[in-house]
Amino acid sequence: MKGITHLVSLSLLIALALALLVPGAGIAEAQGSIQVAPYGTTSGGESVDEYTLTNAHGMEVKIITYGGIITSIRVPDRYGNMANVTLGFASLEDYETNNTSYFGALIGRYGNRIAGAKFTLDGVEYTLAANNGPNSLHGGLKGFDKVVWDAQEAEAENGVALQLSYLSADMEEGFPGNLSVTVVYTLTDDNELVIDYSATTDKPTVANLTNHAYFNLAGEGTGSIDNHILMINADRYTPVDDTLIPTSELAPVEGTPFDFRTPRLIGPSQRSPDEQIVYGRGIDHNFVLNRDSFDDTSMMLAAVLYEPAFGRTLEVWTTEPGLQVYCENWEGQWANPMKFGPGGNFYRQDEGIALETQHFPDSPNQPDFPSVTLLPDETYETTTIFKFDVD
């Protein structure tokens, strides 16, 4: 009996060694997965689901079909500890009633502001909802952040993917054309969250889609992002008036609080007395990414965000010409004081930073900006990658 036990133990040791040396031998390799569960019912009676995407390394992204909202992104720090690094709420009711900050949401039809809540296309003036002072913001009163998207799993070569789709009807929120939109979230085994946007229309319209996730690489609810270090690949930015509409100038960042061409702390720029910072109560500006031309749609590194205490790094890659940077300037005492995250944490000003890849604000009214016109024989296509790592 002793000899048999010895042989069994030896066999197990050999099997374990083979499993460590040969991929797939003896012990199965870790694989990504998608799970779906009910998240709740909207006030209008629509069912909402939550999808949990997990990659082979345990990184996890949660997305709900209401607004296509990213509710959680869990990534490791330099010590291997996992934390949620995006801001959000704990319930569907909160997202419906309190999400004036657009936490984690898909934004459309037009991300950012349109001056005077109107624009002219092919000689026809279109009037939109003025939901941000005199201007239209993020698609109007019921933009893509407030609708329930259709969802299904999608194929991914290196990870797992979720496809969301929505048909925005002609003249919805004042925008012309039936716009058919598809957004694919892919969580790769390289710890990347890839967002692929596509859209088609049956009549000329404007389109500018983005995602409004806020990041705090120390972890959601841990406090200010002032000590985060930011690099932006932009020599120019678009100054704004006191309603945050671009003046049409593409101004150099050199010598301004917007000069992040080399990595620097966010806090000093947020606290600058510069008139532009005063207008936005902090950074709320579009950066003109360093491309050879506005026709260049190649994938490029737009920004790098780093948090030194825990060592998490976020790279932002995009095919877009612009990057809107917004540091949650209107939270806490500035706005609704009842903003609580999923961990029960009260959000104050500057607890997250949004890095919104996009075309420029007010482009429909600014002929010198990259065009946002979409025609019936064209397909709107753009990709953004959020790549997470540690130092």
Side-chain angles (χ1 to χ4, degrees):
M1 181 66 70
K2 182 178 180 181
I4 293 175
T5 303
H6 176 74
L7 288 174
V8 171
S9 299
L10 181 61
S11 297
L12 288 173
L13 287 173
I14 293 172
L16 179 60
L18 285 172
L20 294 173
L21 292 172
V22 182
I27 297 176
E29 292 183 87
Q31 295 182 349
S33 66
I34 297 182
Q35 297 179 328
V36 59
Y39 191 76
T41 304
T42 69
S43 57
E46 294 179 275
S47 297
V48 174
D49 289 327
E50 179 182 63
Y51 286 81
T52 301
L53 285 61
T54 308
N55 72 6
H57 306 296
M59 177 178 167
E60 178 192 271
V61 177
K62 290 180 179 289
I63 300 163
I64 59 174
T65 52
Y66 177 81
I69 292 171
I70 300 169
T71 60
S72 174
I73 301 175
R74 294 182 58 81
V75 294
D77 64 10
R78 67 162 63 96
Y79 310 106
N81 299 316
M82 303 291 287
N84 174 22
V85 296
T86 191
L87 307 191
F89 289 112
S91 70
L92 177 60
E93 181 181 4
D94 284 336
Y95 280 112
E96 276 200 279
T97 58
N98 292 324
N99 202 14
T100 55
S101 296
Y102 303 92
F103 289 145
L106 292 176
I107 302 297
R109 291 188 186 191
Y110 197 90
N112 221 307
R113 295 172 176 86
I114 296 179
K118 60 184 178 182
F119 67 94
T120 299
L121 183 60
D122 291 343
V124 178
E125 184 176 272
Y126 295 94
T127 300
L128 313 172
N131 63 327
N132 184 246
N135 308 316
S136 176
L137 176 65
H138 292 334
L141 297 175
K142 188 177 181 181
F144 291 175
D145 59 294
K146 297 179 180 67
V147 301
V148 177
W149 294 66
D150 294 325
Q152 63 183 50
E153 293 185 29
E155 293 185 1
E157 293 183 1
N158 179 33
V160 291
L162 175 67
Q163 176 178 299
L164 301 179
S165 57
Y166 176 68
L167 177 61
S168 178
D170 183 30
M171 299 310 296
E172 181 177 272
E173 291 296 316
F175 292 94
N178 292 295
L179 190 73
S180 179
V181 184
T182 300
V183 178
V184 178
Y185 287 110
T186 302
L187 176 59
T188 77
D189 290 335
D190 298 318
N191 282 6
E192 299 168 326
L193 179 59
V194 182
I195 311 179
D196 291 300
Y197 306 84
S198 63
T200 57
T201 182
D202 59 0
K203 67 171 63 172
T205 191
V206 297
N208 184 32
L209 310 183
T210 190
N211 181 277
H212 213 297
Y214 292 81
F215 300 101
N216 186 320
L217 298 184
E220 175 269 335
T222 58
S224 171
I225 47 85
D226 283 359
N227 68 336
H228 283 49
I229 296 170
L230 178 64
M231 186 283 294
I232 303 175
N233 190 3
D235 295 334
R236 297 174 294 172
Y237 78 109
T238 52
V240 295
D241 64 19
D242 60 0
T243 71
L244 301 182
I245 293 295
T247 63
S248 79
E249 181 185 7
L250 305 182
V253 299
E254 186 174 1
T256 75
F258 305 99
D259 190 352
F260 289 93
R261 292 175 296 172
T262 57
R264 59 186 282 189
L265 286 169
I266 294 174
S269 290
Q270 278 290 95
R271 303 291 171 260
S272 169
D274 186 278
E275 181 180 61
Q276 287 292 308
I277 296 294
V278 173
Y279 284 160
R281 290 181 174 170
I283 303 171
D284 188 4
H285 291 75
N286 170 67
F287 289 76
V288 181
L289 298 178
N290 289 333
R291 295 189 174 278
D292 292 336
S293 72
F294 288 152
D295 295 327
D296 178 8
T297 58
S298 61
M299 184 65 69
M300 69 168 287
L301 178 65
V304 180
L305 184 67
Y306 173 65
E307 197 284 318
F310 294 92
R312 294 187 181 94
T313 299
L314 169 62
E315 294 181 359
V316 182
W317 294 76
T318 188
T319 59
E320 287 288 280
L323 180 74
Q324 182 82 11
V325 178
Y326 173 58
C327 294
E328 202 197 5
N329 306 331
W330 296 81
E331 291 307 316
Q333 61 267 46
W334 292 118
N336 183 352
M338 298 298 291
K339 293 288 181 67
F340 289 92
N345 302 301
F346 172 64
Y347 292 154
R348 297 172 178 83
Q349 189 184 30
D350 302 344
E351 292 213 7
I353 180 171
L355 301 166
E356 306 161 57
T357 56
Q358 57 173 4
H359 274 54
F360 303 170
D362 196 38
S363 289
N365 296 312
Q366 306 258 7
D368 292 333
F369 285 1
S371 175
V372 292
T373 299
L374 180 65
L375 302 177
D377 61 346
E378 299 174 337
T379 299
Y380 174 98
E381 290 181 309
T382 182
T383 298
T384 290
I385 301 172
F386 296 115
K387 181 176 177 59
F388 295 88
D389 207 341
V390 292
D391 65 359

